[in-house]
Amino acid sequence: MTHRADAVGLVLARPARMLGLEPFFMELIAGMEEVLATDGRSLLLHVVKDMDAEIAAYRRWSAGGMVDAVVIVNLTEHDPRLGVVTELGLPAVVVGGPRSGFGFSNVWIDDAQAMRDAVGYLVDLGHRRLARVSGPAQFEHTRLRSEAFVEECERFGVDGTIVEGDYTDTSGERSTRALLGRGANPTAIVFDNDVMAVSAVGVAAEMGVTVPDQLSLLAWDDSALCRLANPTVSAMSLDVQAMGMQVADCLLNMLAGGPVTAYMAPLPRLQARRSTARAPLTA
């Protein structure tokens, strides 16, 4: 009889303090826990400093029979984790990845279409100088969003600048200062998460740039941070808890012997608030 650990593992290679600042993963975990509990399973969460430590955790868990499967997040190009879990015979579900031909069950988001929607919204407001503060460039979802941002800016004939961040408030502040210190400031900035976007509100005020009269700000991953900021921050809103439930459904289907399946998460929808407005007439 096959040993059942009654646990699913999730390793997050990111600064532990970010779990208290960025709601995304806590909402994802809440959704996963809700579904896993119906099958008598729990979630084993481990926070580590980098991918090497994440891979070491998979090896420990596999050797000790500590988990029945793992969830892999923040997929990278030629991701070494996929080969490791295959080698270990450790079942895995990926958050992200392509819609077909992947080889792993996954829950994917159409990040490219969501970015096209975000750029189109800002262009419709008259913005001609756009900027994007991305997450780490090695992540596949960052690449997809950046490619779509560049393509849409070219299609509309507007300026588009990308600065790489790391999801922290510090990188949001630093990137915003760099963008607003240019000769021709952007009139709209799209951020890859809520933490960086909200940090930009304070930087803009400090630099004497009025939001939204002179600068529009748009966040990825809506949260209470966006709703409580002053002004409130517009966001590409995704029901992350519902996506966590999809991930858990995908896991249970796989553990029950189901086929490799790609689930599409609902497309992020624009939630317009007070941080976005028509481009200034002088832009």
Side-chain angles (χ1 to χ4, degrees):
M1 181 176 178
T2 303
H3 168 75
R4 174 170 153 162
D6 289 332
V8 169
L10 172 63
V11 184
L12 298 179
R14 62 198 298 102
R17 75 179 186 90
M18 284 301 294
L19 295 182
L21 294 173
E22 188 182 39
F24 178 89
F25 281 109
M26 290 300 98
E27 293 176 7
L28 184 75
I29 288 166
M32 290 175 61
E33 288 272 21
E34 185 175 337
V35 172
L36 291 174
T38 65
D39 195 49
R41 299 178 191 269
S42 59
L43 185 69
L44 178 58
L45 174 65
H46 189 34
V47 181
V48 297
K49 64 179 181 177
D50 56 30
M51 188 181 288
D52 288 342
E54 179 176 347
I55 288 172
Y58 295 149
R59 294 191 183 281
R60 287 196 308 275
W61 286 351
S62 177
M66 297 174 63
V67 297
D68 300 313
V70 295
V71 176
I72 295 176
V73 298
N74 290 333
L75 192 68
T76 66
E77 188 176 11
H78 309 302
D79 199 308
R81 297 172 295 177
L82 303 181
V84 170
V85 296
T86 300
E87 167 206 328
L88 296 171
L90 188 59
V93 163
V94 176
V95 179
R99 65 194 303 175
S100 62
F102 187 39
F104 287 83
S105 287
N106 66 314
V107 176
W108 69 282
I109 304 169
D110 195 344
D111 282 292
Q113 182 58 53
M115 181 58 74
R116 287 191 285 269
D117 292 344
V119 171
Y121 165 69
L122 294 170
V123 170
D124 284 347
L125 289 174
H127 293 279
R128 308 293 296 175
R129 295 196 302 273
L130 275 58
R132 160 170 156 74
V133 179
S134 76
Q138 71 265 27
F139 296 153
E140 277 291 285
H141 63 264
T142 302
R143 180 184 64 80
L144 290 169
R145 293 177 195 173
S146 291
E147 288 178 355
F149 177 82
V150 170
E151 289 168 3
E152 285 301 280
C153 287
E154 290 176 350
R155 187 169 75 87
F156 285 115
V158 301
D159 293 335
T161 302
I162 299 177
V163 177
E164 184 180 352
D166 64 5
Y167 300 132
T168 65
D169 51 343
T170 302
S171 77
E173 292 169 1
R174 182 178 62 248
S175 300
T176 304
R177 284 197 181 92
L179 289 167
L180 297 184
R182 296 165 176 255
N185 293 348
T187 61
I189 307 176
V190 182
F191 293 84
D192 247 9
N193 77 342
D194 46 358
V195 173
M196 294 193 295
V198 170
S199 73
V201 174
V203 171
E206 175 190 312
M207 297 181 71
V209 178
T210 306
V211 177
D213 295 340
Q214 295 173 287
L215 176 68
S216 287
L217 303 175
L218 177 62
W220 226 259
D221 300 335
D222 194 11
S223 71
L225 290 176
C226 295
R227 296 188 291 273
L228 295 173
N230 186 20
T232 53
V233 176
S234 299
M236 297 303 293
S237 181
L238 171 69
D239 189 339
V240 180
Q241 185 163 340
M243 187 173 75
M245 295 174 73
Q246 275 188 304
V247 172
D249 281 335
C250 188
L251 275 162
L252 296 181
N253 177 66
M254 177 186 65
L255 291 170
V260 171
T261 307
Y263 294 74
M264 182 180 177
L267 188 68
R269 299 294 182 188
L270 180 84
Q271 179 64 56
R273 297 194 180 96
R274 291 174 48 227
S275 71
T276 49
R278 294 205 62 82
L281 294 176
T282 56

